[in-house]
Each structure stands twice: as structure tokens, then as C-alpha cells.
Amino acid sequence: MRNEVGRGVTEMDAAGDTVGAVPYVMERYGIIYNKKLLQKYFDSSWASIKSVDSINNFKTLKTVADEIQAHKDEMGVKGAFTSAGFDTSSIKRFGDQLAHISVYYEYRDQGVTQMPATISDKYVSNFKNIFDLYINDATIPKTQLASATMDDANSEFALGEAVFLQNGSWAIRRFAIKRSPMKIWAYCQSIWV
């Protein structure tokens, strides 16, 4: 493959064309979920959503999270989502990964190919909605978020204290060691928009 990629880049350079990017590693971020705990929710008599395939939009995700939060004692969890800590160890998840989703959809809608001078607030409410869901259906009260860390969130998830964790595909290995089946929803238009 390296020879093919190398030949293609050389040929494009020789022809004076623009060289495009070749993805070497692609990492995705989104919502990691514990399949066993989510199945426990689906199997509950009070659950209004009965399949992971049905969670294909924000309204349904919110319904699931709200119902888990309302029945957290019955579920044996502290919250639907792990704590969304406000310390610097979580800035990558919320100030970078999550915040960039609204920017992506705006750029997509506008056909942006270069950095614009400004962006609108078209998708900001979507960012607010999902972040509100994270902090309202969390393992800890909102008043404790300032001191919560990424380590706290990882620990909560690894111990089965929460069903959902926002992070990336690189984090799944950390939890696979615990023998609990995980899966990730990459952020997509149906969940976000």
C-alpha cells in the first residue's frame, strides 16, 4: 500500500496537482455505551425505547437517558452519563470534540473550504442540548462538576456506574480490560441535528 500511495503522491506532484490527505489513522469520538447496562434498560418494563437501533436522533437519546436517570437505583447506576468534569482534564472532550461538531455542520451547510471570518449560531442550541443532557443525567450533581475529572468519568464508566461516556474510539481499549462489552456511537447528523 505504501508504494501505491507513494506513487500516487509523486504522480500528482509531478503533474502540478494538489496533494490530498491520505488518512493513516482515523479516530472517532462520540458516546461510548455499556451494552450490558443499555440492554438492562431495554428489558425494563418502564423503558419506552426497546432497541439500540431506535436511538437514531437526539429526542430518543434524551428519552433513554432521562428514563435511566429516573430509574438509576433500579438500574444499579449512579447516572445515565458519567460526570462531565469542568477541570482541565476534560477540556478536550467538551471544549474541543463536542464543540467542533456544531462548527462542522455549519461549515458543511455553507460549503466552507477555507477558515471563515465568523460563524453563526445555527447549531449552538444543539451543543447546549446535548451538554445539558450530560450534566442533568450525570452520576454527580451539577454543583460538583467543577471538581470532577476525566479520571472520575473513566472510573465511573469502568465500574458500571454510568451507561454512557463521551470519549473516542481510543478509549474503548481501556474498558475492554474490564470485560464489559462496549460500543461507540460516533457523533452523526441524526443524533446531533
Side-chain angles (χ1 to χ4, degrees), residues 21 48 61 69 106 111 114 120 128 132 139 143 151 164 171 191:
S48 60
L61 175 62
Q69 195 71 16
E106 179 160 337
Q114 294 183 14
S120 74
K128 181 185 181 314
D132 284 349
T139 54
T143 56
D151 285 342
F164 305 112
I191 293 289

Side-chain angles (χ1 to χ4, degrees), residues 60-119:
T60 306
L61 175 62
K62 183 176 183 341
T63 297
V64 171
D66 288 348
E67 289 179 355
I68 289 170
Q69 195 71 16
H71 296 272
K72 63 185 179 183
D73 292 338
E74 186 177 332
M75 287 283 299
V77 298
K78 291 183 177 179
F81 285 94
T82 60
S83 55
F86 288 163
D87 89 319
T88 57
S89 65
S90 289
I91 195 70
K92 184 79 171 160
R93 292 189 301 154
F94 307 119
D96 183 9
Q97 296 169 354
L98 189 61
H100 283 141
I101 303 297
S102 58
V103 174
Y104 164 79
Y105 283 110
E106 179 160 337
Y107 286 1
R108 182 208 58 189
D109 291 355
Q110 295 176 6
V112 170
T113 58
Q114 294 183 14
M115 183 66 72
T118 61
I119 61 171

Side-chain angles (χ1 to χ4, degrees), residues 33 53 76 110 129 143:
Y33 64 94
D53 295 330
Q110 295 176 6
N129 290 342
T143 56

Side-chain angles (χ1 to χ4, degrees), residues 9-187:
V9 170
T10 303
E11 290 168 2
M12 289 183 349
D13 281 343
D17 294 332
T18 302
V19 178
V22 177
Y24 179 69
V25 173
M26 290 184 63
E27 297 179 326
R28 304 273 190 217
Y29 52 90
I31 299 172
I32 301 172
Y33 64 94
N34 181 309
K35 292 193 291 187
K36 183 178 176 182
L37 289 174
L38 196 54
Q39 189 60 51
K40 185 175 182 178
Y41 160 79
F42 295 140
D43 293 342
S44 299
S45 61
W46 44 264
S48 60
I49 309 300
K50 295 297 184 180
S51 141
V52 71
D53 295 330
S54 299
I55 307 173
N56 59 11
N57 58 66
F58 178 77
K59 182 179 177 185
T60 306
L61 175 62
K62 183 176 183 341
T63 297
V64 171
D66 288 348
E67 289 179 355
I68 289 170
Q69 195 71 16
H71 296 272
K72 63 185 179 183
D73 292 338
E74 186 177 332
M75 287 283 299
V77 298
K78 291 183 177 179
F81 285 94
T82 60
S83 55
F86 288 163
D87 89 319
T88 57
S89 65
S90 289
I91 195 70
K92 184 79 171 160
R93 292 189 301 154
F94 307 119
D96 183 9
Q97 296 169 354
L98 189 61
H100 283 141
I101 303 297
S102 58
V103 174
Y104 164 79
Y105 283 110
E106 179 160 337
Y107 286 1
R108 182 208 58 189
D109 291 355
Q110 295 176 6
V112 170
T113 58
Q114 294 183 14
M115 183 66 72
T118 61
I119 61 171
S120 74
D121 62 354
K122 181 176 180 180
Y123 293 102
V124 171
S125 63
N126 301 46
F127 174 86
K128 181 185 181 314
N129 290 342
I130 198 150
F131 196 74
D132 284 349
L133 185 63
Y134 288 173
I135 63 176
N136 290 326
D137 289 349
T139 54
I140 62 173
K142 290 187 248 185
T143 56
Q144 296 177 11
L145 290 174
S147 62
T149 67
M150 184 68 205
D151 285 342
D152 295 334
N154 286 335
S155 176
E156 293 161 2
F157 193 71
L159 294 172
E161 296 174 354
V163 179
F164 305 112
L165 165 72
Q166 183 203 307
N167 209 329
S169 56
W170 56 89
I172 291 180
R173 280 189 125 175
R174 173 179 301 135
F175 305 114
I177 294 168
K178 304 289 184 189
R179 305 273 187 245
S180 187
M182 308 295 155
K183 190 154 182 176
I184 187 168
W185 283 306
Y187 285 120

